Amino acid sequence: MSLSTLTRPWRPFNYGFLDESAKREIRRRTLKAIAVPGYQVPYASREVPMARGWGTGGLQVTLTLLKPSAVVKVIDQGADDSVNAASIRKFLRRVGGAGETLDTTEATLIQSRHRIPEETLRADQILVLQVPDPEPLRSVEPDISEARYRHADADYGLLWLKLYEQIVRSGRIMQGASYPSLVNGRHVMSPSPIPRWDVPKLHQAENLTILSAGREKRIYAVPPHTDVVPLVFDDIAYRVEDHAGIPCGRSGVTGYFLNELPQAGGASLHEMSDSHFATKHIQKREGAPVTLGDTYYRNGSMAR
């Protein structure tokens, strides 16, 4: 036996950038995450041509799922045209030959940071969310080993206490993003720093959602038709951001999640966070043949 018989012939480039053993391991971890919704599965996070903290976890999952027939959409804080989103989209096209789009309805694979698109995702679409901190207990239990025990025992009393203290101090729950949510009645997960507006979109969704943290080396998932329930008290309803009556400064549309842009003199301008959805509304108003997909929200309220 020689060393050459144990190694594969040198190839100048590997499809999808990651080597096959890395993709095989991530697929196995992802399948386990799907089998146990909300459970954080450890994996060996690889190096990718991107700094930690810029979406390396999401990128590794996307590279693993990538194939030439895929149509990829990349969102960064709701925008398709940010430097981060455009660079990741270009990278995926170069290493995988996949098609790219800005339209949610045309995409089969969507990688996103901190937002879920306004248009309803279908069963044939996969959403990959970049996660900076996957541990919902970190703010109340800094000892990660102890946090693991609490997950195993389904002991989430400290999270309930944190929400109660916010109500006592401020009169309402102040958790604006990363809202702790119970998945399939068992594990509490941090649904990435998506706003409260987006958390109900995960409940009984048609699509598969995979959440990956590259720096923390954790993958977890929300399979289709799975219960995702934010932690709320029986007598205090879960509230999303009140954007129903505020028009988008670009498209004039109301009823969707908005970004607030400070203006001179203390005023504010609001623009739809899902930038391409706003662009589609503008194009439709100008007479372009644009098809708007169904949306989770209508006039600021969940449509289902």
Side-chain angles (χ1 to χ4, degrees), residues 1-298:
M1 180 180 295
S2 63
L3 183 61
S4 62
T5 62
L6 299 176
T7 58
R8 295 177 178 175
W10 181 85
R11 290 186 297 179
F13 196 80
N14 198 67
Y15 177 77
F17 188 80
L18 295 178
D19 60 85
E20 294 305 317
S21 62
K23 288 191 281 191
R24 190 161 47 244
E25 192 231 348
I26 293 175
R27 289 192 189 104
R28 288 172 176 165
R29 304 300 181 180
T30 302
L31 287 174
K32 183 174 181 179
I34 294 171
V36 189
Y39 173 68
Q40 299 174 42
V41 182
Y43 74 106
S45 179
R46 267 69 173 185
E47 294 291 337
V48 291
M50 181 189 296
R52 299 283 188 190
W54 288 85
T56 57
L59 182 59
Q60 290 177 73
V61 172
T62 301
L63 289 170
T64 301
L65 300 175
L66 197 64
K67 54 185 179 180
S69 60
V71 181
V72 179
K73 173 183 172 73
V74 181
I75 316 169
D76 183 4
Q77 304 274 12
D80 297 84
D81 52 358
S82 71
V83 172
N84 191 28
S87 298
I88 293 176
R89 196 165 52 244
K90 180 180 178 182
F91 175 71
L92 295 173
R93 174 171 52 79
R94 289 184 61 186
V95 302
E100 55 182 273
T101 184
L102 305 182
D103 193 337
T104 300
T105 60
E106 295 176 354
T108 59
L109 184 57
I110 301 171
Q111 180 177 330
S112 175
R113 180 165 82 150
H114 306 180
R115 278 309 315 275
I116 296 176
E118 295 292 352
E119 291 170 294
T120 307
L121 300 183
R122 305 183 305 270
D124 61 334
Q125 295 175 302
I126 298 176
L127 174 65
V128 179
L129 286 173
Q130 303 169 197
V131 183
D133 184 3
E135 182 49 68
L137 291 168
R138 192 182 299 277
S139 61
V140 294
E141 180 52 78
D143 186 337
I144 296 303
S145 297
E146 184 64 26
R148 300 278 181 265
Y149 284 121
R150 292 187 181 277
H151 279 295
D153 294 337
D155 179 4
Y156 299 115
L158 290 178
L159 281 176
W160 286 104
L161 178 60
K162 177 184 175 183
L163 298 175
Y164 173 74
E165 288 178 344
Q166 291 180 9
I167 294 173
V168 170
R169 291 173 179 171
S170 308
R172 61 190 176 94
I173 295 176
M174 302 297 290
Q175 190 88 15
S178 301
Y179 197 98
S181 302
L182 186 64
V183 183
N184 200 33
R186 175 58 181 86
H187 289 93
V188 169
M189 73 167 188
S190 171
S192 95
I194 58 175
R196 286 181 295 175
W197 180 276
D198 284 346
V199 175
K201 297 177 182 177
L202 295 169
H203 179 65
Q204 290 293 322
E206 295 283 336
N207 65 291
L208 166 65
T209 301
I210 303 172
L211 304 97
S212 179
R215 185 172 47 198
E216 301 291 331
K217 304 178 176 61
R218 289 290 185 276
I219 290 178
Y220 49 111
V222 178
H225 305 292
T226 300
D227 287 342
V228 178
V229 182
L231 297 186
V232 289
F233 297 98
D234 292 341
D235 53 346
I236 299 179
Y238 180 76
R239 294 177 57 189
V240 300
E241 293 79 357
D242 186 11
H243 291 168
I246 306 174
C248 169
R250 288 180 61 213
S251 62
V253 177
T254 60
Y256 300 104
F257 188 78
L258 303 168
N259 293 330
E260 183 176 1
L261 309 176
Q263 303 294 303
S268 294
L269 175 66
H270 292 82
E271 287 189 357
M272 195 183 298
S273 174
D274 190 338
S275 62
H276 189 70
F277 190 51
T279 301
K280 289 173 70 174
H281 276 283
I282 296 171
Q283 292 172 340
K284 188 176 182 63
R285 186 176 61 199
E286 294 173 347
V290 176
T291 302
L292 299 175
D294 290 334
T295 55
Y296 296 98
Y297 281 88
R298 291 172 192 163

